[in-house]
Amino acid sequence: MMNGVVSIRNKNGEEKVKIERPGGSSSPIWSIAWNPSKDEHNDILAVADWGQKLSFYQLSGKQIGKDRTLTYDPCCVSYFSKGEYIVMGGSDKQASLYTKDGVRLGTIGEQNSWVWTCRVKPDSNFVVLGCQDGTIACYQLIFSTVHGLYKDRYAYRDSMTDVIVQHLITEQKVRIKCRELVKKIAIYRNRLAIQLPEKILIYELYSDDSSDMHYRIKEKICRKFECNLLVVCSQHIILCQEKRLQCLSFTSVREKEWVMESLIRYIKVIGGPPGREGLLVGLKNGAILKIFVDNPFPITLLKLSTSVRCLDMSASRNKLAVVDEHNTLLVYDINSKELLFQEPNANSVAWNTQCEDMLCFSGNGYLNIKASNFPVHQQKMQGFMVGYNGSKIFCLHVYSMSAVEVPQSAPMYQYLERKMFKEAYQIACLGVTDSDWRDLATEALEGLDFDTAKKAFIRIRDLRYLELINSIEERKKRGENDNELFLADVYAYQGKFHEAAKLYKRTGQESRALSMYTDLRMFEYAKEFVGVTDPKSSRILMTKQADWAKSSKEPRAAAEMYLSAGEHLKAIDIIGEHGWADMLIDIARKLDKAEREPLAKCAFYFKKLKHHGYASETYSKMGDLQALVQLHVETRHWDEAFSLVEKHSQFKNDVFVPYAQWLAENDRFEEAQKAFHKAGRQNEAVKVLEQLTHNAVVENRFNDAGYYYWMLSMQCLDIARESEEQRDKMLKKFERFQHLAELYHVYRSIQRYTDEPFSSHMPETLFNICRFLLNNLTKDIPPGISKVNTLYALAKQSGKLGAYKLARYSYEKLQDLHIPSRFQESIELGSLTVRSKPFHDSEDLIEGMMCYRCSTNNPLLNNQGSVCINCRQPFIYSSSSYEVLPLVQFYLEDGIGDEEAVSLIDLEVPHTDQRDARWQDMDNGELQALRMDDGFDDAEEDPFTAKMSFEQGGSNFVPVKVSRLVLRSMSRRDVLIKRWPRPLKWEYFRSLLPDVSITMCPTCFKMFHSEDYELLVLQHNCCPYCRRPIDEPN
């Protein structure tokens, strides 16, 4: 409005925002425009007033930035369709171009009167003006490209006021904001020069890092310059204005000036030491000059007949490429000024910075790459080629610069065709595919350029060929220099076998050709090489053919070939692995017994195939008894093994030890123990027995525990007999184990009585067993035996048999022990009941405990053990009913041996008394005895009775010792002898009641009432104590 107010309203006309300009009515607002850009975050309103100000506001009414001062009264404001530029006109009679931020860029067109309106054609660069005098003018704006390039850095103008520096390799970009119109850009190494309307800014990189993109201002030259071209060096800037070149330092001091004979068309820095850089200058008249910054005199390189459009010098400064105004590329040798070649259709050219002989040029939509003087390689490319670095070509298309990766395959193959391997390698290093590397490597190898081939194979990591090259290099060091032989090896590696064979033959290396053909399984070709005259080579060939047949899964054919070649071991291996037992036994039978290794291998495979008979036959043929025994043991053929041991006793350990281990593994421990014993491995036998005993006790198998302890005792006796050193120790163990065996044997009956509902024993037997056990449990109680169970059983049986005093004693003893809950009630009831009974034991029971030596009645329980309380004579019990047997043990006087004693007892000596003697002949199966039944009614007349009666006294036990006379008087049927093996002495017992029939087991020497023993043997088919079968010979 005229009063300097902008009112923003909605579509209904309601005011939303009101903007008041500072000048009020002195700054009437003449034109406003919204920015049409969709990229802006906020809606932006441009406001032009006649206070000669341009301002920008957000929709909220907040001003953006400061007011821009104008030098005229603005009449119209118009945005470009994308909002990047503003066109304004007014009282200055011209239309001006501004950036979207209000920075003036320049004049579009001048008119004769005020410009009242201006508009931009959508999506184009056409601007239309309307003037005071009725003139309408249309202008087209052309935005030229302002840019600079040095190697892989490219700088260009963006939005007219910004400079973007792009790293073409890493694709990094950095924007430098100048906020003024950028007129010229120059870039060189770490320098960047930007020309603005009133000054020139010099930037430098922070660091020397090739990928660093951080620029900082180094110098400002605050002067206005007019120039066509701007060039920057390390310490200078070069200004080009038509024919004139000026060199200025960064402090704006003009150091040199060159004036050319014609207009300057092209200028380029070609490098050099800082402060002494060289410039390449092309003139319109065709002259090409080289100027050094520190030299006032230009050097003329060439003079062409036509104007220069583009120039570049090769990396080594030896060649010059020129594009003239007829689009012809001309390449000259700088030193000789000779034209090397020329190519048509070029608009720009660049040498490869990494390869001297390569250049590329663009034109007519094609990119052309030329190596040396080979034909040009073409490929399509849009744009303008400006640089060539390695395998990358820098291409400018419209306003964007891109790095195009170009494979260098074509020039590489051009070098390969000429056998120029080193040059081809240099090209390949710029960038080719793996297959190109392989081709280069192969060609170089065939050309015997091993150095290049090695480098190329390293690139593709081909270890096979690298090994070949290394071996050839080693051979060269050793003095080999036959190139044909090296080439033959190369051909062989490449698969050109026939060519390789011809070369081998030519160099006199037929053996290598043979080896090659056999390795390749080309046996027909190999046979041609060998011929029929060499039988050794033929056999080798046949062996190799068999090797091949084996590896190609034709094992039967391979085996037959090995056999025909005499390679028995290899044939046996194949046959054995495939399990062809028939073929194998044929070979084993044909082989001589001296050929032990093949025969042993046959036997090994027979074992593996579980052909026990064939293996046995083979070992027998070899005479290898040790292996045969081992075979029988491994295959568990124990009968054959035992029969072999019978003939060859040295293998006893080899058979019985594994047999015992096998039995133990199969839970046949008793047999295992016997086998260990047979093998003489007493320690193992004892160990097995101890484990068995422990297990039996833990599992409450007291019958087995008793049996195992008895066996252990007998083992200890065997060890004592064989080893003098361990005799005392083993004899102590023997006595202990015998004692434990009897305790566990007895306790089995008590355990069955307490744990099972029914008992097979009579009360009297149980009563005797309990008393025997308690009499012998005076010291430590062995594991598993319960004193509670024993006293409980005794108390119950005592009550039944009328031994009330003993029952009362048992119940009292039980009160001191920990009683299981299952017995608690029964014991309490029993102890109450027994109090109602008499306080004495039955006379019959007391008479049953009479000592047969001194006729003393003993108490039912004796804390001194199972001995008489008067004469200390040990009681001898029946091992079934545990009644005291009418036996008295006697000892021989010194000087009487066991054999003599037995012969004296066996003598038939008549009694010398004057009275008539009556003889009675007793026949008792195997045993034959005489009994003198001559009516000895008086004990004094029996010499043995006299010994019992008169040779005792005191509190110590005095054994009954007999002389030869007493022995002679004894009857054989009254004497029982325990014939212990050495080192134990025999034990002699005299029966005092000959009518009581007593039987003794000949193995364990336990004594029984004959009737009980016969019944038990019939029940168990063996001795109830030592389990000796009845049919086993004594």
Side-chain angles (χ1 to χ4, degrees):
M1 291 186 234
M2 290 297 287
N3 60 0
V5 174
V6 177
S7 177
I8 300 174
R9 299 170 182 261
N10 63 14
K11 59 186 177 182
N12 298 325
E14 298 165 357
E15 188 174 80
K16 291 291 181 184
V17 178
K18 185 177 179 181
I19 301 168
E20 293 184 9
R21 296 289 296 137
S25 57
S26 63
S27 302
I29 292 163
W30 211 260
S31 184
I32 57 174
W34 290 102
N35 187 337
S37 171
K38 294 176 181 175
D39 298 332
E40 298 290 342
H41 296 299
N42 301 303
D43 290 327
I44 296 171
L45 179 68
V47 178
D49 62 41
W50 277 13
Q52 297 192 349
K53 297 279 196 302
L54 173 64
S55 308
F56 298 94
Y57 290 91
Q58 290 181 5
L59 186 58
S60 62
K62 183 182 177 184
Q63 186 171 351
I64 301 169
K66 295 179 181 177
D67 293 343
R68 296 279 181 179
T69 304
L70 307 174
T71 56
Y72 58 92
D73 293 330
C75 296
C76 55
V77 176
S78 179
Y79 274 97
F80 271 57
S81 56
K82 290 184 181 173
E84 67 266 48
Y85 302 113
I86 298 173
V87 180
M88 275 203 302
S91 63
D92 61 347
K93 301 179 183 179
Q94 62 183 16
S96 300
L97 184 68
Y98 292 81
T99 66
K100 63 183 179 182
D101 299 323
V103 177
R104 189 175 188 279
L105 297 175
T107 302
I108 294 172
E110 295 185 0
Q111 298 298 318
N112 296 323
S113 61
W114 284 26
V115 177
W116 280 98
T117 184
C118 55
R119 285 290 180 271
V120 181
K121 186 181 178 183
D123 297 322
S124 73
N125 294 340
F126 290 98
V127 178
V128 179
L129 311 178
C131 305
Q132 174 76 31
D133 60 4
T135 307
I136 294 176
C138 180
Y139 294 90
Q140 181 182 9
L141 302 186
I142 295 171
F143 297 95
S144 59
T145 306
V146 177
H147 61 143
L149 174 76
Y150 180 77
K151 291 192 175 174
D152 49 16
R153 287 176 191 268
Y154 175 60
Y156 61 94
R157 181 174 71 181
D158 186 56
S159 302
M160 304 300 280
T161 59
D162 295 352
V163 174
I164 292 178
V165 183
Q166 177 183 355
H167 197 294
L168 297 172
I169 305 297
T170 64
E171 295 294 330
Q172 285 178 287
K173 288 184 180 180
V174 63
R175 180 182 291 271
I176 299 171
K177 294 195 174 190
C178 300
R179 293 186 174 82
E180 290 185 67
L181 175 65
V182 175
K183 296 180 77 174
K184 294 282 185 295
I185 298 172
I187 188 167
Y188 173 74
R189 289 188 182 163
N190 63 341
R191 298 281 187 267
L192 172 67
I194 302 172
Q195 185 187 8
L196 303 175
E198 301 294 332
K199 59 190 169 189
I200 294 177
L201 302 176
I202 312 293
Y203 289 84
E204 68 174 354
L205 283 172
Y206 271 82
S207 70
D208 295 330
D209 184 7
S210 62
S211 61
D212 184 29
M213 294 295 286
H214 296 89
Y215 284 90
R216 63 185 171 194
I217 287 185
K218 179 175 173 63
E219 298 289 348
K220 285 184 185 177
I221 302 173
C222 295
R223 277 176 58 191
K224 183 175 182 179
F225 294 99
E226 287 297 330
C227 64
N228 305 115
L229 297 167
L230 174 70
V231 175
V232 68
C233 299
S234 299
Q235 298 167 7
H236 302 88
I237 58 167
I238 314 293
L239 302 173
C240 169
Q241 179 65 25
E242 296 183 344
K243 295 181 183 181
R244 187 187 303 274
L245 273 181
Q246 289 183 337
C247 176
L248 280 77
S249 71
F250 289 161
T251 55
S252 188
V253 177
R254 187 169 68 186
E255 294 186 354
K256 290 184 183 61
E257 185 174 306
W258 300 272
V259 180
M260 305 299 162
E261 59 196 28
S262 174
L263 287 174
I264 297 167
R265 291 289 301 273
Y266 191 87
I267 183 167
K268 182 174 186 174
V269 186
I270 54 170
R276 297 172 59 196
E277 288 88 356
L279 305 175
L280 205 55
V281 180
L283 306 182
K284 189 175 182 180
N285 67 358
I288 299 168
L289 308 171
K290 185 157 68 170
I291 294 173
F292 290 100
V293 171
D294 62 339
N295 188 344
F297 302 106
I299 301 163
T300 303
L301 295 177
L302 280 172
K303 183 79 170 68
L304 304 182
S305 57
T306 55
S307 173
V308 175
R309 285 185 62 181
C310 187
L311 281 175
D312 198 18
M313 194 179 275
S314 68
S316 63
R317 310 277 196 277
N318 288 326
K319 295 177 185 174
L320 184 67
V322 186
V323 176
D324 66 12
E325 64 181 359
H326 301 308
N327 290 349
T328 303
L329 167 67
L330 305 158
V331 178
Y332 290 91
D333 186 306
I334 289 176
N335 300 320
S336 65
K337 310 290 191 285
E338 178 192 351
L339 176 66
L340 298 176
F341 58 84
Q342 64 182 52
E343 296 287 342
N345 302 320
N347 59 21
S348 64
V349 66
W351 287 97
N352 195 318
T353 56
Q354 295 181 19
C355 183
E356 168 70 16
D357 288 337
M358 283 190 75
L359 62 80
C360 69
F361 59 94
S362 60
N364 286 2
Y366 282 95
L367 174 68
N368 304 274
I369 300 172
K370 186 168 177 69
S372 188
N373 53 358
F374 299 131
V376 171
H377 170 70
Q378 279 193 337
Q379 68 181 63
K380 283 194 174 183
M381 186 188 79
Q382 291 294 320
F384 190 76
M385 195 280 308
V386 292
Y388 190 13
N389 184 4
S391 63
K392 283 188 165 59
I393 288 174
F394 304 129
C395 169
L396 179 66
H397 183 51
V398 191
Y399 299 118
S400 69
M401 177 72 78
S402 58
V404 180
E405 189 81 42
V406 180
Q408 306 297 310
S409 309
M412 187 199 79
Y413 283 111
Q414 290 173 333
Y415 280 113
L416 280 184
E417 285 169 13
R418 306 277 179 93
K419 306 287 183 194
M420 298 166 75
F421 301 118
K422 288 191 167 44
E423 292 83 351
Y425 176 75
Q426 286 178 350
I427 300 294
C429 287
L430 300 179
V432 293
T433 63
D434 278 359
S435 61
D436 295 334
W437 275 112
R438 186 170 291 282
D439 291 343
L440 168 61
T442 308
E443 290 283 338
L445 192 59
E446 287 184 14
L448 301 177
D449 184 347
F450 297 117
D451 189 43
T452 303
K454 187 174 184 178
K455 290 176 188 171
F457 280 124
I458 286 170
R459 285 277 187 155
I460 54 175
R461 295 184 173 88
D462 193 324
L463 298 177
R464 212 168 123 263
Y465 277 105
L466 286 172
E467 284 173 10
L468 170 65
I469 293 168
N470 282 338
S471 74
I472 290 173
E473 286 175 346
E474 288 294 323
R475 284 156 60 190
K476 275 189 166 184
K477 285 178 190 171
R478 292 198 298 268
E480 280 188 45
N481 54 6
D482 191 342
N483 283 341
E484 282 197 339
L485 185 55
F486 297 149
L487 192 57
D489 288 344
V490 171
Y491 282 154
Y493 265 71
Q494 289 177 349
K496 301 173 182 175
F497 305 118
H498 300 313
E499 291 92 327
K502 286 172 189 170
L503 284 173
Y504 281 135
K505 199 164 191 178
R506 200 186 302 162
T507 54
Q509 297 280 345
E510 285 91 347
S511 61
R512 287 200 180 197
L514 175 64
S515 176
M516 176 185 73
Y517 277 133
T518 50
D519 287 348
L520 294 165
R521 317 290 179 250
M522 296 179 173
F523 295 107
E524 299 308 316
Y525 292 114
K527 284 171 186 170
E528 287 174 22
F529 259 80
V530 170
V532 291
T533 53
D534 189 355
K536 185 182 176 186
S537 295
S538 296
R539 193 177 301 116
I540 292 168
L541 198 57
M542 190 167 281
T543 303
K544 289 192 175 181
Q545 195 168 355
D547 290 340
W548 168 72
K550 177 185 176 185
S551 61
S552 60
K553 296 184 180 172
E554 292 183 19
R556 195 173 284 273
E560 287 165 1
M561 285 176 195
Y562 279 133
L563 286 173
S564 53
E567 295 274 358
H568 289 120
L569 287 172
K570 290 184 178 178
I572 290 165
D573 275 335
I574 294 172
I575 293 165
E577 282 165 14
H578 288 84
W580 299 326
D582 298 340
M583 269 181 92
L584 203 58
I585 193 63
D586 287 343
I587 295 170
R589 285 168 181 163
K590 285 174 187 171
L591 285 168
D592 188 78
K593 65 180 178 183
E595 295 181 79
R596 295 183 70 80
E597 195 179 352
L599 281 170
K601 194 152 262 193
C602 286
F604 166 75
Y605 280 114
F606 285 136
K607 278 166 67 177
K608 193 174 173 183
L609 298 170
K610 297 187 169 56
H611 282 282
H612 175 250
Y614 287 161
S616 180
E617 180 185 332
T618 311
Y619 281 132
S620 300
K621 181 174 183 176
M622 291 166 66
D624 191 344
L625 293 175
Q626 178 78 43
L628 190 57
V629 166
Q630 194 66 32
L631 170 73
H632 290 322
V633 167
E634 283 175 12
T635 53
R636 309 279 186 259
H637 291 182
W638 302 114
D639 295 339
E640 289 95 326
F642 295 150
S643 63
L644 206 60
V645 167
E646 282 174 20
K647 296 173 191 167
H648 307 280
S649 59
Q650 68 267 31
F651 300 120
K652 184 172 75 170
N653 269 12
D654 296 332
V655 173
F656 282 111
V657 172
Y659 177 57
Q661 287 166 346
W662 175 75
L663 288 168
E665 284 165 13
N666 288 280
D667 296 342
R668 292 160 64 182
F669 294 106
E670 293 171 29
E671 294 171 63
Q673 187 270 332
K674 287 172 185 169
F676 275 128
H677 194 55
K678 269 189 190 175
R681 303 285 278 268
Q682 302 291 3
N683 287 341
E684 280 92 336
V686 169
K687 203 176 284 181
V688 171
L689 264 179
E690 284 177 346
Q691 189 60 49
L692 282 171
T693 309
H694 175 73
N695 293 349
V697 171
V698 168
E699 293 165 17
N700 291 347
R701 293 183 289 106
F702 298 111
N703 212 18
D704 292 340
Y707 170 60
Y708 294 143
Y709 269 124
W710 175 79
M711 285 183 75
L712 263 174
S713 69
M714 300 312 285
Q715 292 275 307
C716 292
L717 195 56
D718 288 344
I719 296 169
R721 183 166 63 253
E722 291 166 11
S723 167
E724 285 282 346
E725 300 161 5
Q726 296 183 309
R727 179 165 293 174
D728 292 342
K729 178 183 168 187
M730 285 299 153
L731 287 176
K732 282 179 185 173
K733 276 193 168 187
F734 165 77
E735 288 170 11
R736 180 167 156 268
F737 289 152
Q738 283 273 323
H739 178 65
L740 286 172
E742 191 151 24
L743 293 185
Y744 280 115
H745 177 74
V746 165
Y747 184 69
R748 165 67 179 150
S749 303
I750 296 169
Q751 184 245 352
R752 284 187 67 181
Y753 170 74
T754 56
D755 291 1
E756 294 176 12
F758 302 106
S759 174
S760 58
H761 292 292
M762 297 294 286
E764 292 85 353
T765 305
L766 271 173
F767 179 71
N768 293 336
I769 285 171
C770 293
R771 288 189 306 106
F772 171 81
L773 191 58
L774 288 168
N775 284 340
N776 283 281
L777 284 180
T778 52
K779 294 181 183 174
D780 297 333
I781 299 174
I785 292 179
S786 167
K787 201 167 183 181
V788 170
N789 286 2
T790 311
L791 284 167
Y792 174 72
L794 179 61
K796 296 290 274 185
Q797 302 312 315
S798 300
K800 285 181 187 176
L801 297 173
Y804 301 120
K805 183 180 176 183
L806 183 58
R808 196 184 295 257
Y809 169 80
S810 301
Y811 282 126
E812 285 171 2
K813 280 284 182 186
L814 278 169
Q815 300 305 317
D816 301 335
L817 302 173
H818 177 72
I819 301 164
S821 56
R822 63 194 178 105
F823 294 153
Q824 194 81 40
E825 191 178 335
S826 176
I827 288 171
E828 286 172 359
L829 183 63
S831 60
L832 284 172
T833 308
V834 79
R835 291 174 192 276
S836 65
K837 303 295 181 185
F839 196 75
H840 58 80
D841 294 329
S842 167
E843 290 294 329
D844 297 339
L845 293 175
I846 293 169
E847 287 172 8
M849 281 304 293
M850 185 188 77
C851 172
Y852 284 95
R853 180 175 176 180
C854 66
S855 301
T856 305
N857 282 337
N858 278 262
L860 296 176
L861 279 183
N862 182 1
N863 58 7
Q864 294 176 7
S866 292
V867 294
C868 174
I869 57 170
N870 180 33
C871 64
R872 303 287 189 277
Q873 178 73 32
F875 292 122
I876 313 300
Y877 291 94
S878 162
S879 290
S880 56
S881 64
Y882 282 86
E883 294 173 358
V884 177
L885 294 174
L887 295 174
V888 174
Q889 184 177 1
F890 62 89
Y891 298 84
L892 306 177
E893 285 185 351
D894 294 340
I896 304 173
D898 290 327
E899 299 295 332
E900 185 188 350
V902 171
S903 62
L904 287 170
I905 293 167
D906 287 345
L907 278 177
E908 294 182 15
V909 179
H911 203 271
T912 54
D913 199 334
Q914 299 302 316
R915 286 181 294 174
D916 295 334
R918 296 190 300 278
W919 291 86
Q920 189 177 5
D921 189 1
M922 303 294 295
D923 191 358
N924 184 17
E926 292 178 6
L927 301 175
Q928 199 172 28
L930 283 174
R931 174 157 179 72
M932 288 177 66
D933 190 6
D934 49 3
F936 283 145
D937 291 329
D938 192 344
E940 291 179 11
E941 294 187 28
D942 182 354
F944 185 80
T945 310
K947 287 282 183 188
M948 285 197 306
S949 303
F950 300 113
E951 293 189 15
Q952 70 167 48
S955 60
N956 293 327
F957 168 59
V958 179
V960 178
K961 281 199 173 184
V962 296
S963 61
R964 289 183 178 84
L965 178 69
V966 177
L967 286 170
R968 222 180 270 121
S969 71
M970 288 185 191
S971 166
R972 184 67 188 84
R973 69 168 287 205
D974 296 341
V975 177
L976 291 167
I977 305 170
K978 291 186 179 180
R979 300 173 188 246
W980 292 109
R982 284 187 310 104
L984 291 179
K985 292 181 177 179
W986 290 6
E987 293 179 352
Y988 298 87
F989 299 87
R990 165 79 186 269
S991 173
L992 301 179
L993 298 175
D995 294 336
V996 177
S997 180
I998 298 169
T999 303
M1000 182 177 70
C1001 172
T1003 306
C1004 59
F1005 305 124
K1006 289 296 173 192
M1007 308 202 189
F1008 303 84
H1009 288 295
S1010 296
E1011 289 176 1
D1012 293 348
Y1013 183 71
E1014 286 164 10
L1015 181 63
L1016 288 167
V1017 164
L1018 285 172
Q1019 282 176 352
H1020 302 292
N1021 208 29
C1022 62
C1023 169
Y1025 192 85
C1026 67
R1027 302 186 185 178
R1028 182 185 74 94
I1030 51 172
D1031 52 358
E1032 188 178 288
N1034 186 10

